Amino acid sequence: HAIIAGEAFRVGETQVLPFRQEHGVVDSVGYRIGDFAYSTDVKTLPDDAFKALEGVKLWVVDCQGYEPFYTHAHLELTLSWIAKVKPQLAVLTHMGHGLDYETLKRELPDGIVPAYDNMVVDNIA
């Protein structure tokens, strides 16, 4: 099955909406699955991506480091996206070695957490 940004498809009973993201000089694809969205390998989100993200409750989103990077979002940019999308919970992923988990965890506002290996998220109402 070809995956085309903007064209929803089903896996069993589950609808999946892929949306275009920019990953430096190439495009990548984010996914909206019900109230969940996943956006990694992203530097820029076009307007249609924000439309696809409207109303998500849980968003796992790219955050490579503190400083701008040519193919990935940095903390300030990611936080601006989160402020626009307003998920109940945002989980930062694809973090580089310059981000210390405990330090970042203390710096983040409520409703935003850094991801960690084997993380489980539940009870998003």
Side-chain angles (χ1 to χ4, degrees):
H1 177 81
I3 295 174
I4 300 168
E7 292 185 18
F9 62 92
R10 296 189 91 65
V11 177
E13 297 297 314
T14 303
Q15 180 171 298
V16 178
L17 175 62
F19 55 90
R20 188 177 69 84
Q21 309 175 134
E22 295 170 13
H23 181 40
V25 297
V26 298
D27 284 349
S28 64
V29 178
Y31 294 95
R32 167 84 185 251
I33 304 165
D35 290 332
F36 167 75
Y38 181 78
S39 296
T40 191
D41 290 333
V42 57
K43 171 65 178 179
T44 305
L45 289 170
D47 289 340
D48 55 329
F50 284 107
K51 182 144 181 69
L53 290 164
E54 287 177 2
V56 296
K57 292 180 180 178
L58 171 60
W59 187 20
V60 177
V61 60
D62 194 312
C63 181
Q64 196 277 332
Y66 289 108
E67 299 301 321
F69 193 75
Y70 71 102
T71 55
H72 294 274
H74 63 290
L75 183 60
E76 183 179 349
L77 178 58
T78 301
L79 291 177
S80 74
W81 293 343
I82 293 167
K84 185 173 183 174
V85 173
K86 296 179 177 57
Q88 288 179 13
L89 179 64
V91 179
L92 306 184
T93 193
H94 208 294
M95 296 176 291
H97 65 275
L99 292 173
D100 176 73
Y101 176 81
E102 291 298 332
T103 302
L104 183 59
K105 188 173 153 181
R106 286 190 303 272
E107 293 173 345
L108 292 171
D110 289 343
I112 305 172
V113 297
Y116 56 86
D117 291 345
N118 298 314
M119 183 180 197
V120 174
V121 178
D122 56 16
N123 296 325
I124 299 296

